[in-house]
Amino acid sequence: MKLLKFLLILVTISFLTACGSGSTDSSNTNSNTETNTTTTDNNSTTSDTNTTTTDDNTTTDTNTSLGLDDNESEAFTLINQYRTSAGLTTLQTESLLNDAAYNHSNYLYLNNTISHYEVNTSSGFTGTTPGDRADYLGYTHIYLSENVSAGQTSSQNSIDDLMSAIYHRFGFLDNSIDVIGIGIVDDRFTYDMSNSVLNALCEGESYNGSGSYYPNMCGVDGFKIEATTFDTANAQLPLQNPTYVIWPPASATDITPVFYEESPDPLTDYSVSGYPVSIEFNSQKISSVENVSFTLWKNGVEVTNTRVIDESSDVNGYFSSYQFALFPLERLAWGTQYDAVFSYDENGTISKTINWSFTTSTPADTYFTIAAEDSSGAFNVTSGETTAVYFEPSDGNDSSLGSVSYSYSAQSVNLGFVDANTLDVNITGSTGQYVQISTSNGKSVTLTIQ
């Protein structure tokens, strides 16, 4: 039984753009995540859950609008597009959760921090936990899932970074949520998600009869929900959703080829690897998934350097028995189709296989690769055309180019990061003019206008 998904934080330092002679630093461009303590596990079967408490210390700097601004609307649309492509029901905005999410992003911005928890002596405080902040505004079901990210320059970047991080991904693709609140302040993004069916129970009458019940599910002290009533309500949303959810979706394109870091880290011995492929089954429709085989193929050849994570192998203990992820232990190739194959026994008797394909993105119309064994490269480019240069990682911990410096004879140079291993460069000038780029990890490239 799902009561609460993860509280997760994604922190990403925005990619820098350099114009003219100078240097820039990619050492902090990797996505980093942090997971805070939750009060129940992903598939808790207990009827006695911990409750959160509400602190009455508040500030008046809050967002009380019922709608979303343009950036928040963009995020809302994108999340629903991703859920739709995965076959899930879409989410509705919840005005109280919108305000709670905005208030928390405002708190994070005012205090230049990133956390799920607020300190009541700090500016912008509206509640210690996500449940406190929602309860303060009148949303009574206190078990929320919350994703938070910082450092991104757009809603698209925030959500795509969260979707590349497996624990965050499962949060957005949860089959037991139907409402969301989104709040963005500068580069602080907060997403609060919940179940309106369970919230409606919290808005009703407390159960006072005999027999089994669930306590501590609502913001009212001593509130009880009769066990059968709760179990029926808790199953309602999952039953409206598919038997399983795969990601990337079948036939998806423009999938980023890389995953960097999460905290807690699902791959403790890697800081750069391929984009994880995942599947989650619906516990309301399937009782068990056993004898699993999960493979990835490229051009008819199996990608063998992979690691499959499930409930038994998840070092952080977040996966349920219905969640599986395949991590390529090397970056996927740019602009390439991959085929995923998941075979399993359903409910202990029926053997099934699920096949699907997806295609990775390309960093630019023109891009060059410097192989891991090479320290330098030289390429011809067109004036005014953006070109990407991908430095293939030498191993699973070669996750940053470090600081980047450059000199040039061209009229102008614009330099930025596609990701922590890939630069994009646009130079303008005459034939024969060039830019020479060097990284602090010993790599270099020369681009000459043809």
Side-chain angles (χ1 to χ4, degrees), residues 331 333-335 361-372 374 376-383 385-393 401 418-419 421-427 435 437 443-450:
R331 285 182 56 133
W334 293 106
S361 60
T362 55
D365 290 338
T366 302
Y367 63 95
F368 304 105
T369 298
I370 297 180
D374 296 330
S376 63
F379 309 99
N380 293 327
V381 299
T382 301
S383 176
E385 179 182 275
T386 297
T387 300
V389 182
Y390 167 51
F391 297 84
E392 185 179 51
L401 298 175
V418 177
D419 59 45
N421 302 112
T422 312
L423 300 174
D424 62 38
V425 188
N426 187 302
I427 67 173
V435 57
I437 303 169
K443 302 285 187 175
S444 65
V445 64
T446 299
L447 302 178
T448 303
I449 297 175
Q450 60 186 356

Side-chain angles (χ1 to χ4, degrees), residues 252-290:
T253 57
D254 293 326
I255 300 300
T256 182
V258 64
F259 165 69
Y260 287 107
E261 297 277 4
E262 253 183 303
S263 177
D265 193 349
L267 296 178
T268 56
D269 49 343
Y270 284 79
S271 60
V272 56
S273 57
Y275 191 81
V277 184
S278 65
I279 183 167
E280 178 173 6
F281 288 86
N282 189 329
S283 63
Q284 295 292 336
K285 295 186 174 183
I286 289 180
S287 62
S288 67
V289 180
E290 300 172 327

Side-chain angles (χ1 to χ4, degrees), residues 34 46 86 97 116 143 155 215 233 262 276 296 304 322 332 339 354 357 364 366 393 405 411 418 426 433:
E34 177 181 348
T46 179
L97 295 182
H116 290 291
Y143 289 101
S155 299
E262 253 183 303
L296 189 67
T304 57
Y322 298 93
L332 300 180
D339 303 302
I354 301 168
S357 302
T366 302
S405 60
Q411 294 176 6
V418 177
N426 187 302
Q433 292 185 323

Side-chain angles (χ1 to χ4, degrees), residues 115-148:
S115 175
H116 290 291
Y117 301 100
E118 297 184 4
V119 178
N120 62 8
T121 56
S122 298
S123 298
F125 175 83
T126 56
T128 303
T129 70
D132 292 337
R133 296 188 288 273
D135 183 52
Y136 162 70
L137 292 167
Y139 192 85
T140 54
H141 180 49
I142 60 175
Y143 289 101
L144 311 177
S145 59
E146 181 176 87
N147 281 351
V148 176

Side-chain angles (χ1 to χ4, degrees), residues 134-386:
D135 183 52
Y136 162 70
L137 292 167
Y139 192 85
T140 54
H141 180 49
I142 60 175
Y143 289 101
L144 311 177
S145 59
E146 181 176 87
N147 281 351
V148 176
S149 73
Q152 294 85 5
T153 57
S154 69
S155 299
Q156 177 91 48
N157 290 341
S158 169
I159 293 168
D160 285 345
D161 284 349
L162 288 162
M163 290 295 291
S164 74
I166 191 64
Y167 300 128
H168 298 76
R169 178 191 299 175
F170 285 144
F172 277 144
L173 300 182
D174 188 348
N175 63 23
S176 66
I177 59 172
D178 65 340
V179 290
I180 188 170
I182 301 171
I184 303 172
V185 177
D186 197 72
D187 66 346
R188 299 300 197 267
F189 299 76
T190 300
Y191 309 89
D192 286 335
M193 296 158 282
S194 189
N195 183 316
S196 68
V197 181
L198 298 182
N199 187 61
L201 294 181
C202 291
E203 293 177 340
E205 296 294 327
S206 178
Y207 178 66
N208 294 315
S210 60
S212 300
Y213 61 88
Y214 289 84
N216 305 326
M217 298 301 299
C218 310
V220 179
D221 288 341
F223 195 95
K224 303 173 185 177
I225 303 175
E226 192 272 329
T228 301
T229 300
F230 180 89
D231 291 341
T232 300
N234 195 47
Q236 182 172 325
L237 295 181
L239 289 173
Q240 297 172 12
N241 278 297
T243 301
Y244 60 83
V245 173
I246 58 174
W247 196 267
S251 303
T253 57
D254 293 326
I255 300 300
T256 182
V258 64
F259 165 69
Y260 287 107
E261 297 277 4
E262 253 183 303
S263 177
D265 193 349
L267 296 178
T268 56
D269 49 343
Y270 284 79
S271 60
V272 56
S273 57
Y275 191 81
V277 184
S278 65
I279 183 167
E280 178 173 6
F281 288 86
N282 189 329
S283 63
Q284 295 292 336
K285 295 186 174 183
I286 289 180
S287 62
S288 67
V289 180
E290 300 172 327
N291 299 321
V292 166
S293 171
F294 202 172
T295 57
L296 189 67
W297 301 74
K298 172 186 173 184
N299 299 325
V301 178
E302 184 178 356
V303 179
T304 57
N305 191 19
T306 64
R307 184 176 300 170
V308 175
I309 296 180
D310 58 16
E311 182 183 38
S312 63
S313 60
D314 178 15
V315 295
N316 302 301
Y318 282 100
F319 276 52
S320 75
S321 59
Y322 298 93
Q323 295 172 325
F324 305 86
L326 181 148
F327 283 81
L329 297 181
E330 298 176 2
R331 285 182 56 133
L332 300 180
W334 293 106
T336 301
Q337 178 176 305
Y338 288 87
D339 303 302
V341 181
F342 187 90
S343 300
Y344 65 104
D345 289 344
E346 180 178 305
N347 300 335
T349 57
I350 306 172
S351 295
K352 293 187 175 182
T353 298
I354 301 168
N355 301 272
W356 74 99
S357 302
F358 62 92
T359 303
T360 55
S361 60
T362 55
D365 290 338
T366 302
Y367 63 95
F368 304 105
T369 298
I370 297 180
E373 62 271 18
D374 296 330
S375 60
S376 63
F379 309 99
N380 293 327
V381 299
T382 301
S383 176
E385 179 182 275
T386 297

